[in-house]
Amino acid sequence: MNAPHPEPVLFASHGPVCSITMNRPERRNAVHRPMAEALRAALARFEADDSLRVAVLHGAGGHFCAGADLTAVADPLLRNELDPEGGGAGPMGPTRLALAKPLIAAIEGHAVAGGLELALLADLRVAAEDATLGVFCRRWGVPLIDGGTVRLPRIVGMGRALDLILTGRPVGAAEALGMGLVNRVVPAGQALEAALALARQLAGFPQQCMLADRASAYAQWELPLPEALRMEGRRGTPMVLAEGVQGAARFAAGAGRHGAFDASASASPGETREN
C-alpha cells in the first residue's frame, strides 16, 4: 500500500504570528497545481483570522522554492492554471493577491523563477547567507507571470530588475541585500528563526497605525504626488487619536527615551500581545 502524500503546504499558528511552510522538499518545493491551491488557501486563512497579525512563508528541506514544477506540465491535474487574460490569483497560487497584513519570506537555499516571485509577494525578505535568488526560468523560455516584472522593479529599481530579468543570473544573499532585494541576511539555517522574531516584533506594534502606513505605502504607486499625500493624511489622521495619543503619553512617561527601542512596550494599553 502506497504511503499517503504529505500535505504540500503546512500551516501553524504561534500566537499572533503564523508560519506557512511549502512542503515538497523532494522537489525543492517546486509548485504544482495542488500546492498552488493550498498556498492560496493558507494566505486566505491568514487574512481571515483577526487573531493573526503577521505571516511567515518558508520552505521545508533547506530551500525556499524552485519555482513552478515543470515536471507537472504534461499532467492536466497537476500543472498550474494559466489564465490567458492574466486574471486569477496567479499560477503559483497567491501571487496576484494584495494582502492586507504583513507577510515575511524566510529564504534558505534557492528562491528562483516562480519561487522568487513568491518571495516578492512578501513585504520583507530574510535570507540565509548562502541563499540564491534569480530569474532562472529565463533559460527555459518560461515568462514571469506571477508578479515578477511588476514587483521586482518596484523593490530594486528598473535597472537592477532588468539585469536580473534579462540575464536570469544567480544573485547571492550579499548582493541581494545590497540592491534591496532582501532586507536581512542571517547565518545559514537561521532564516526562519530570524523571520519569526521579526514577525513577533511587527505583531507587537500598535496595529491600526502600522497597517494604515503600510496600506498608504502600497497605494501611493498609482497616484499623483498631491493625491498620494492627501490619501496619506486621510489614512493617518484618525490613527493619531486611535493610537498616537496613547503612544505619546507612554513616551512622556519615559518609554523609549534616549533612542531605546523595545517593541514589547509598543502596544496600546489593554491590547493583547503574545510573544
Side-chain angles (χ1 to χ4, degrees):
M1 185 175 181
N2 292 331
H5 290 291
E7 292 294 322
V9 174
L10 305 177
F11 189 104
S13 299
H14 318 274
V17 171
C18 71
S19 59
I20 298 170
T21 308
M22 295 177 281
N23 189 39
R24 297 187 73 212
E26 74 285 358
R27 299 294 306 161
R28 293 191 176 185
N29 301 313
V31 176
H32 57 15
R33 182 174 178 176
M35 184 172 172
E37 293 171 349
L39 279 172
R40 270 200 306 270
L43 267 297
R45 178 178 174 182
F46 163 61
E47 286 275 270
D49 190 335
D50 290 338
S51 72
L52 296 175
R53 296 180 171 183
V54 186
V56 173
L57 178 65
H58 73 111
H63 288 282
F64 183 76
C65 176
D69 188 350
L70 299 183
T71 67
V73 170
D75 188 334
L77 297 179
L78 295 180
R79 65 182 175 225
N80 293 349
E81 296 178 89
L82 296 177
D83 180 352
E85 298 299 320
M92 293 289 290
T95 46
R96 292 181 189 148
L97 300 178
L99 300 174
K101 296 186 285 188
L103 174 66
I104 300 172
I107 302 171
E108 298 278 354
H110 283 72
V112 297
L116 175 62
E117 292 180 290
L118 281 172
L120 295 174
L121 174 64
D123 300 273
L124 301 172
R125 284 155 293 281
V126 177
E129 61 189 0
D130 59 352
T132 299
L133 300 88
V135 184
F136 281 19
C137 50
R138 177 59 53 240
R139 69 192 72 178
W140 313 122
V142 178
L144 296 171
I145 52 176
D146 280 274
T149 66
V150 178
R151 293 192 176 99
L152 187 58
R154 294 184 180 194
I155 291 170
V156 304
M158 193 63 159
R160 290 189 173 100
L162 286 175
D163 178 12
L164 302 188
I165 290 168
L166 296 179
T167 69
R169 67 181 180 84
V171 175
E175 183 182 1
L177 179 66
M179 68 172 66
L181 180 54
V182 302
N183 305 93
R184 309 278 193 281
V185 172
V186 298
Q190 296 184 22
L192 177 58
E193 179 184 350
L196 287 170
L198 181 57
R200 288 190 291 270
Q201 177 185 345
L202 300 190
F205 289 131
Q207 292 296 292
Q208 294 182 67
C209 175
M210 186 185 73
L211 293 180
D213 285 349
R214 176 184 180 274
S216 180
Y218 278 118
Q220 60 83 26
W221 284 102
E222 302 174 2
L223 301 173
L225 180 61
E227 187 175 346
L229 292 171
R230 285 194 298 271
M231 181 198 66
E232 179 190 64
R234 286 195 303 270
R235 289 179 185 273
T237 299
M239 298 305 106
V240 175
L241 295 178
E243 294 178 337
V245 170
Q246 291 178 340
R250 293 197 301 277
F251 176 80
R257 293 294 177 86
H258 308 296
F261 188 88
D262 181 4
S264 66
S266 300
S268 300
E271 210 177 314
T272 300
R273 194 172 47 243
E274 300 177 57
N275 294 317

